[in-house]
Amino acid sequence: MGTNKIRTKFWQFLQSLSHPHSPPEAIALSFSLGTLIAILPTPGFGIFVGILLTVIFRSLSKIAMVISITFWNPLLQVPVYYASYLLGSWLMGQPAVLEYDKSWLTIMTHYTQAFLLGNGILAGLISAISYVLVLRLLISFQRKKAITELISSHQLAK
């Protein structure tokens, strides 16, 4: 697949998300919340949480929510989860290595606390970054689309 074809498909995707009745902020918020849900440890039921949120809050974009949850598949989650544990261990002042002289319950508690601390921070950070990126992309796309429509309507008027 050539670069132009990929670029065209990407712009078509943005266009499908960018309906007149869906403001860019709602789409970006939906993508950001989907990212947050996908990165937090919600094994297997994150998609249901996302769909439930779109049913409760009708201004959220179902498409953007599902796409973001799907985007953060297990292959992308593994490095985030590992970074979550490392960050949590560092913040807690604990070594990020396994100590064998402790009981399994102590080891599980250590790993879980460090993971949840780091994961909460990274999930929030990545979610906020995704909001800003998607919002800027959508606004840029809508401006480009408006300019194109203005130019084409001006040319038709001549």
Side-chain angles (χ1 to χ4, degrees):
M1 194 180 263
T3 306
N4 286 338
K5 195 169 187 176
I6 292 171
R7 186 177 297 136
T8 302
K9 291 235 182 240
F10 177 72
W11 285 113
Q12 287 173 348
F13 163 72
L14 283 179
Q15 187 174 12
S16 72
L17 290 179
S18 181
H19 298 291
H21 59 276
S22 297
E25 295 82 8
I27 295 169
L29 179 62
S30 302
F31 192 90
S32 177
L33 285 173
T35 297
L36 182 69
I37 292 166
I39 292 175
L40 290 175
T42 56
F45 64 92
I47 192 77
F48 300 114
V49 173
I51 290 171
L52 179 64
L53 284 175
T54 61
V55 168
I56 294 171
F57 303 103
R58 297 210 181 265
S59 63
L60 293 175
S61 169
K62 291 178 181 81
I63 295 170
M65 181 78 72
V66 170
I67 287 172
S68 67
I69 291 171
T70 305
F71 174 78
W72 289 100
N73 62 51
L75 292 175
L76 292 175
Q77 287 175 339
V78 169
V80 172
Y81 284 175
Y82 182 67
S84 296
Y85 170 68
L86 293 177
L87 176 62
S89 293
W90 179 73
L91 289 172
M92 294 175 71
Q94 300 172 345
V97 295
L98 182 62
E99 297 178 22
Y100 292 102
D101 60 338
K102 296 182 179 180
S103 73
W104 69 270
L105 186 57
T106 304
I107 292 170
M108 287 303 294
T109 303
H110 163 76
Y111 280 105
T112 303
Q113 288 173 342
F115 169 74
L116 291 177
L117 175 63
N119 188 256
I121 293 168
L122 284 180
L125 183 64
I126 293 170
S127 180
I129 290 169
S130 73
Y131 174 82
V132 171
L133 289 175
V134 169
L135 181 62
R136 286 186 180 196
L137 281 171
L138 287 170
I139 289 172
S140 172
F141 175 75
Q142 285 181 346
R143 283 183 187 152
K144 182 180 177 182
K145 183 178 174 183
I147 291 169
T148 304
E149 288 174 0
L150 182 65
I151 290 171
S152 66
S153 68
H154 180 70
Q155 288 174 349
L156 289 176
K158 285 185 178 184

